[in-house]
Amino acid sequence: MSTTPRIAVDSADRAAVDGRHIRALAFQAVRMEYLRHVLSELSLLTAAGCRALVIGSGRGLPARGLAQLGFEVVAVDPSPAATALARDADDGLGITYLTSPAEELGLPDGTFDLVYCADTLEITERPQAVLAQAARVLRPAGVFVYDTVNRTLVSRLIYLGAFQAFPGTRIMPRGRYAAHRLRRPAELAEALARAGLSAKDVSAFKPRDVRSLVRATRGRRRGTLTDEQLPELVHMVLEQEGSPAVTYLGYAVRRA
């Protein structure tokens, strides 16, 4: 007889369903694809001595990806449990892991060439504070890259319904997402401008086939799929010309 899986964010228990980690695994390839595109556009891809900060780093996947591109990386997350898991998974890449809220980083001004914001803008009640902190720690002309969730009917069905309410597909704790914390690209562009950041791009991304996302979440809940099998099944694809129905990536540059 099947049992209801335990839903737990930032859990070291491999039997627990950690929707935050599932999401990070599914997003990693498309995040890195977009980062390489942005860095190439800005001639930062092969720049020596560049420093990057990852806000909302979780178990460290985005931070390790940036370190593998040659950045000196600091990874920040508000969860001590996530920070500990990131340290345990470290591959000797020299990443500095810190526990800190995104709204109050406690890092020096103007010390990073790149800030990547993951798993944060759709969670925080204070997005303007997050953006202000990101802008503060960036050097002039530094780049801010992010991914987040649009506020649409489809995104509400997925994030508020499928991911945290519907019994067969639930992978997140209830209340992690709320409609008012999902933000449209135009709203975010205005918030970026108020923080001294000039928005340059928005690109949609989504599963190649939404049915594969359903199969992946149900399979992970049942224990028939491992975390490591999820990314290939979900297969997120970038749509640089697309209008984001659910998730989107973007970047902005700090004004001098």
Side-chain angles (χ1 to χ4, degrees):
M1 186 176 77
S2 63
T3 59
T4 302
R6 184 169 75 89
I7 309 296
V9 170
D10 303 329
S11 173
D13 179 4
R14 289 187 64 85
V17 175
D18 181 353
R20 185 185 186 197
H21 187 49
I22 290 170
R23 189 171 180 266
L25 286 162
F27 285 10
Q28 178 69 0
V30 77
R31 281 172 167 169
M32 294 309 300
E33 179 185 353
Y34 187 73
L35 273 165
R36 285 190 291 266
H37 164 72
V38 172
L39 296 173
S40 178
E41 288 283 308
L42 300 175
S43 301
L44 278 174
L45 190 57
T46 58
C50 287
R51 301 188 75 223
L53 170 68
V54 180
I55 298 173
S57 182
R59 301 191 189 197
L61 279 171
R64 293 196 291 276
L66 280 168
Q68 287 163 356
L69 291 179
F71 282 85
E72 178 188 339
V73 181
V74 177
V76 172
D77 197 89
S79 165
T83 304
L85 288 166
R87 287 197 182 102
D88 288 345
D90 189 79
D91 297 323
L93 294 168
I95 299 167
T96 299
Y97 297 99
L98 303 173
T99 301
S100 176
E103 299 84 354
E104 300 173 16
L105 291 175
L107 293 166
D109 294 358
T111 50
F112 293 96
D113 303 280
L114 169 72
V115 172
Y116 190 94
C117 189
D119 197 28
T120 300
L121 292 173
E122 64 274 16
I123 302 300
T124 182
E125 293 284 355
R126 298 168 57 206
Q128 201 64 57
V130 174
L131 298 177
Q133 285 290 297
R136 180 183 63 78
V137 301
L138 275 171
R139 294 174 177 140
V143 61
F144 175 72
V145 185
Y146 63 89
D147 59 78
T148 192
V149 183
N150 200 356
R151 188 172 68 253
T152 64
L153 176 60
V154 177
S155 70
R156 292 183 193 193
L157 286 171
I158 293 172
Y159 274 81
L160 309 186
F163 284 171
Q164 64 181 26
F166 300 157
T169 55
R170 181 173 170 248
I171 58 171
M172 293 286 189
R174 289 182 174 86
R176 181 166 179 85
Y177 301 106
H180 71 277
R181 296 198 299 264
L182 310 182
R183 296 175 175 94
R184 297 187 178 100
E187 296 168 343
L188 192 50
E190 292 174 0
L192 287 163
R194 289 193 295 272
L197 297 162
S198 298
K200 300 296 183 183
D201 177 68
V202 167
S203 293
F205 67 104
K206 64 181 184 180
R208 178 181 53 190
D209 183 340
V210 72
R211 292 171 297 183
S212 67
L213 178 62
V214 175
R215 287 195 295 270
T217 54
R218 290 176 67 87
R220 183 61 187 86
R221 280 177 53 87
R222 294 190 187 109
T224 57
L225 283 176
T226 66
D227 287 343
E228 291 73 18
Q229 291 172 311
L230 286 165
E232 184 176 358
L233 179 59
V234 176
H235 193 162
M236 287 286 179
V237 293
L238 188 63
E239 291 189 329
Q240 290 180 285
E241 303 300 324
S243 176
V246 183
T247 45
Y248 62 101
L249 290 133
Y251 82 95
V253 174
R254 183 189 166 185
R255 295 195 295 267

